[in-house]
Every structure is written in structure tokens, then in C-alpha cells.
Amino acid sequence: MNLKHYLAAIFSAAILSFSFLSCDPKEDDPTTNPTPSTDIVKEIHGFYGKPAAQVLSILDAKGWTRREHTFESGANYQYINSDSTKTYYIEAWDDTVIFSEYNEFEKGDVNQEISTVNIHRFIQTFENWENTMSQIPHPNTFYKGLIVADSAEFVQIYALRNDFLQTFQVKKPTLVYAVSSYVAANTVSQTGVSIETEYHSYYVFVAFGERIYDYKNKENSLNNFRYPLNSQRK
């Protein structure tokens, strides 16, 4: 089963029972080296609203593989590094960036088991990015967090970041998925981590931009959670 569909099924059931308030790695270690938190989080936020040509020139300079899909009013772009462990996703409308996302994946065979050391590194990267994101001004937003743990037996949404962080520390040993978000009327700032062992889905991401999904129904919808578009490597 696709992870996105798997989680979506869990979250759809969970919404019936949860009421949400609106308001230095070894050289032979098979993992992705975490990107410095300040750089990537601020970079992703900085792309928003810029001319697409300016952002694409920055990413083209990395020398990564570029894929693009154009449509009537805009285009989306995906940049993939040489071993497919890092990706950027950019969406532009009328030549202006409206959404950007960065992902890091487990290196090697996507079906391999991930070591405890590597799990720790992904979680640590998420914690660094989440902390950096919290220090970026988010005017006129409400907080929304999500934790899935204990083989998906535990699913909880949070309206307060402190509550999210406290539970996150408790649930780290059995974590499946976590997302921390700042949601505005039309945009969302978000970072998340997946340690989904059943389907071998291991990644961490940060994203910012316009809310593609059902943002008008923020009180009763889990669609505010933006799942990484690149979470399934090709």
C-alpha cells in the first residue's frame, strides 16, 4: 500500500474521534548526511514569492537532475541529487514560486531495514529543522501538529506546539510519522519525518508555500498536512 494512502486512511478515521481547535556520521554508514538546518529551512521559506527563473537558477547550479511539468498557468520542477537521497520540489504559477519543498531519504535500497543509528539521525534532523522553523516569524497563523506512533495505534493532532513537543519526546522510540505546521489563511510552513518500518518509508522534509489542499475547512480537515510529493522515490 502507498504510504500516503495508508496514512490518509488512518487520519480520516482519527478525525472522527479527535476534535481540532482552530486556532558526524561514519563514512560507511548508509545514510544521508543531514543538511544544516538553518540553511535549508530558511532557503525553502525564502523561495516563496520569488520569480521562478531566479529560484531555478539557484537549483540548476547544484547540477542535480531536473524534471519539469508545465501546464496552462504554471509549472512544477523536481531536482534530484546523484544518489536520489535529496530532492527539491518547486511549484510556480504565472512565473512566481508559490510552493517549495525539500526532502532527504534513506540511502540505498528503499526496501532495506534502517538501522537504529540512522533512525536517530533522521529524527535529529527533524528536530533541528522544526526548531529553526519555530524561530521564523509566522504572523496570523495557528499551530497544527500531528504524531503517529505505536504501529499507528497512536494518532494525535495538536493545537499547541509545547504539547506536540512533549508527546514527541515520549513517542520517539515508536514513532511512525510526525509533522509540525504553522497554518495561515493561504500558506503553510511545515516540516515532518517518516520512520515507517512496515513500508520502509524513511524521510524528512521541510516545505513552505500556498496551501494546495482544502484550506477553507481548516477546523475539520486533516488536509492541512502536506505530505511530501517526493516521498516515493522513482
Side-chain angles (χ1 to χ4, degrees), residues 177-189:
Y177 193 74
V179 185
S180 182
S181 309
Y182 295 87
V183 184
N186 298 307
T187 62
V188 60
S189 176

PDB file of all heavy atoms in Angstrom, residues 177-189:
ATOM      1  N   TYR A 177       5.337   8.648  12.221  1.00  0.00           N
ATOM      2  CA  TYR A 177       5.263   9.862  11.413  1.00  0.00           C
ATOM      3  C   TYR A 177       4.989  11.047  12.326  1.00  0.00           C
ATOM      4  O   TYR A 177       4.237  10.928  13.303  1.00  0.00           O
ATOM      5  CB  TYR A 177       4.124   9.726  10.398  1.00  0.00           C
ATOM      6  CG  TYR A 177       4.111  10.755   9.302  1.00  0.00           C
ATOM      7  CD1 TYR A 177       5.035  10.711   8.266  1.00  0.00           C
ATOM      8  CD2 TYR A 177       3.153  11.768   9.286  1.00  0.00           C
ATOM      9  CE1 TYR A 177       5.016  11.655   7.242  1.00  0.00           C
ATOM     10  CE2 TYR A 177       3.122  12.701   8.266  1.00  0.00           C
ATOM     11  CZ  TYR A 177       4.056  12.648   7.246  1.00  0.00           C
ATOM     12  OH  TYR A 177       4.041  13.578   6.245  1.00  0.00           O
ATOM     13  N   ALA A 178       5.608  12.192  12.016  1.00  0.00           N
ATOM     14  CA  ALA A 178       5.341  13.412  12.766  1.00  0.00           C
ATOM     15  C   ALA A 178       5.424  14.609  11.841  1.00  0.00           C
ATOM     16  O   ALA A 178       6.266  14.649  10.939  1.00  0.00           O
ATOM     17  CB  ALA A 178       6.344  13.566  13.914  1.00  0.00           C
ATOM     18  N   VAL A 179       4.540  15.572  12.056  1.00  0.00           N
ATOM     19  CA  VAL A 179       4.521  16.806  11.278  1.00  0.00           C
ATOM     20  C   VAL A 179       4.269  17.975  12.221  1.00  0.00           C
ATOM     21  O   VAL A 179       3.424  17.889  13.107  1.00  0.00           O
ATOM     22  CB  VAL A 179       3.409  16.804  10.211  1.00  0.00           C
ATOM     23  CG1 VAL A 179       3.498  18.055   9.352  1.00  0.00           C
ATOM     24  CG2 VAL A 179       3.491  15.577   9.339  1.00  0.00           C
ATOM     25  N   SER A 180       5.017  19.062  11.996  1.00  0.00           N
ATOM     26  CA  SER A 180       4.818  20.294  12.748  1.00  0.00           C
ATOM     27  C   SER A 180       4.531  21.402  11.741  1.00  0.00           C
ATOM     28  O   SER A 180       5.280  21.572  10.782  1.00  0.00           O
ATOM     29  CB  SER A 180       6.075  20.619  13.567  1.00  0.00           C
ATOM     30  OG  SER A 180       5.889  21.791  14.344  1.00  0.00           O
ATOM     31  N   SER A 181       3.437  22.152  11.943  1.00  0.00           N
ATOM     32  CA  SER A 181       2.985  23.106  10.933  1.00  0.00           C
ATOM     33  C   SER A 181       2.545  24.428  11.545  1.00  0.00           C
ATOM     34  O   SER A 181       2.038  24.482  12.672  1.00  0.00           O
ATOM     35  CB  SER A 181       1.783  22.546  10.167  1.00  0.00           C
ATOM     36  OG  SER A 181       2.024  21.255   9.682  1.00  0.00           O
ATOM     37  N   TYR A 182       2.720  25.486  10.754  1.00  0.00           N
ATOM     38  CA  TYR A 182       2.146  26.796  11.050  1.00  0.00           C
ATOM     39  C   TYR A 182       1.249  27.150   9.874  1.00  0.00           C
ATOM     40  O   TYR A 182       1.725  27.323   8.752  1.00  0.00           O
ATOM     41  CB  TYR A 182       3.245  27.835  11.245  1.00  0.00           C
ATOM     42  CG  TYR A 182       4.110  27.554  12.449  1.00  0.00           C
ATOM     43  CD1 TYR A 182       5.222  26.712  12.344  1.00  0.00           C
ATOM     44  CD2 TYR A 182       3.806  28.095  13.700  1.00  0.00           C
ATOM     45  CE1 TYR A 182       6.001  26.437  13.456  1.00  0.00           C
ATOM     46  CE2 TYR A 182       4.588  27.815  14.812  1.00  0.00           C
ATOM     47  CZ  TYR A 182       5.685  26.986  14.684  1.00  0.00           C
ATOM     48  OH  TYR A 182       6.470  26.698  15.774  1.00  0.00           O
ATOM     49  N   VAL A 183      -0.035  27.253  10.127  1.00  0.00           N
ATOM     50  CA  VAL A 183      -1.020  27.377   9.063  1.00  0.00           C
ATOM     51  C   VAL A 183      -1.630  28.774   9.062  1.00  0.00           C
ATOM     52  O   VAL A 183      -2.153  29.237  10.078  1.00  0.00           O
ATOM     53  CB  VAL A 183      -2.134  26.326   9.233  1.00  0.00           C
ATOM     54  CG1 VAL A 183      -3.104  26.381   8.062  1.00  0.00           C
ATOM     55  CG2 VAL A 183      -1.530  24.930   9.375  1.00  0.00           C
ATOM     56  N   ALA A 184      -1.545  29.445   7.921  1.00  0.00           N
ATOM     57  CA  ALA A 184      -2.167  30.742   7.727  1.00  0.00           C
ATOM     58  C   ALA A 184      -3.359  30.595   6.793  1.00  0.00           C
ATOM     59  O   ALA A 184      -3.723  29.485   6.403  1.00  0.00           O
ATOM     60  CB  ALA A 184      -1.147  31.736   7.172  1.00  0.00           C
ATOM     61  N   ALA A 185      -3.965  31.719   6.433  1.00  0.00           N
ATOM     62  CA  ALA A 185      -5.163  31.656   5.596  1.00  0.00           C
ATOM     63  C   ALA A 185      -4.885  30.985   4.264  1.00  0.00           C
ATOM     64  O   ALA A 185      -5.703  30.214   3.766  1.00  0.00           O
ATOM     65  CB  ALA A 185      -5.719  33.064   5.380  1.00  0.00           C
ATOM     66  N   ASN A 186      -3.714  31.265   3.686  1.00  0.00           N
ATOM     67  CA  ASN A 186      -3.421  30.732   2.359  1.00  0.00           C
ATOM     68  C   ASN A 186      -2.090  30.012   2.254  1.00  0.00           C
ATOM     69  O   ASN A 186      -1.751  29.505   1.187  1.00  0.00           O
ATOM     70  CB  ASN A 186      -3.438  31.866   1.326  1.00  0.00           C
ATOM     71  CG  ASN A 186      -4.792  32.526   1.223  1.00  0.00           C
ATOM     72  OD1 ASN A 186      -5.799  31.854   1.030  1.00  0.00           O
ATOM     73  ND2 ASN A 186      -4.831  33.833   1.379  1.00  0.00           N
ATOM     74  N   THR A 187      -1.305  29.966   3.317  1.00  0.00           N
ATOM     75  CA  THR A 187       0.012  29.330   3.267  1.00  0.00           C
ATOM     76  C   THR A 187       0.197  28.373   4.439  1.00  0.00           C
ATOM     77  O   THR A 187      -0.509  28.461   5.457  1.00  0.00           O
ATOM     78  CB  THR A 187       1.161  30.364   3.303  1.00  0.00           C
ATOM     79  OG1 THR A 187       1.098  31.091   4.529  1.00  0.00           O
ATOM     80  CG2 THR A 187       1.079  31.310   2.114  1.00  0.00           C
ATOM     81  N   VAL A 188       1.162  27.484   4.296  1.00  0.00           N
ATOM     82  CA  VAL A 188       1.523  26.592   5.390  1.00  0.00           C
ATOM     83  C   VAL A 188       3.031  26.410   5.417  1.00  0.00           C
ATOM     84  O   VAL A 188       3.668  26.256   4.378  1.00  0.00           O
ATOM     85  CB  VAL A 188       0.818  25.215   5.282  1.00  0.00           C
ATOM     86  CG1 VAL A 188       1.190  24.507   3.985  1.00  0.00           C
ATOM     87  CG2 VAL A 188       1.135  24.344   6.490  1.00  0.00           C
ATOM     88  N   SER A 189       3.599  26.475   6.613  1.00  0.00           N
ATOM     89  CA  SER A 189       5.007  26.202   6.855  1.00  0.00           C
ATOM     90  C   SER A 189       5.067  24.885   7.604  1.00  0.00           C
ATOM     91  O   SER A 189       4.419  24.729   8.642  1.00  0.00           O
ATOM     92  CB  SER A 189       5.628  27.320   7.699  1.00  0.00           C
ATOM     93  OG  SER A 189       6.967  27.024   8.029  1.00  0.00           O
TER      94      SER A 189
END
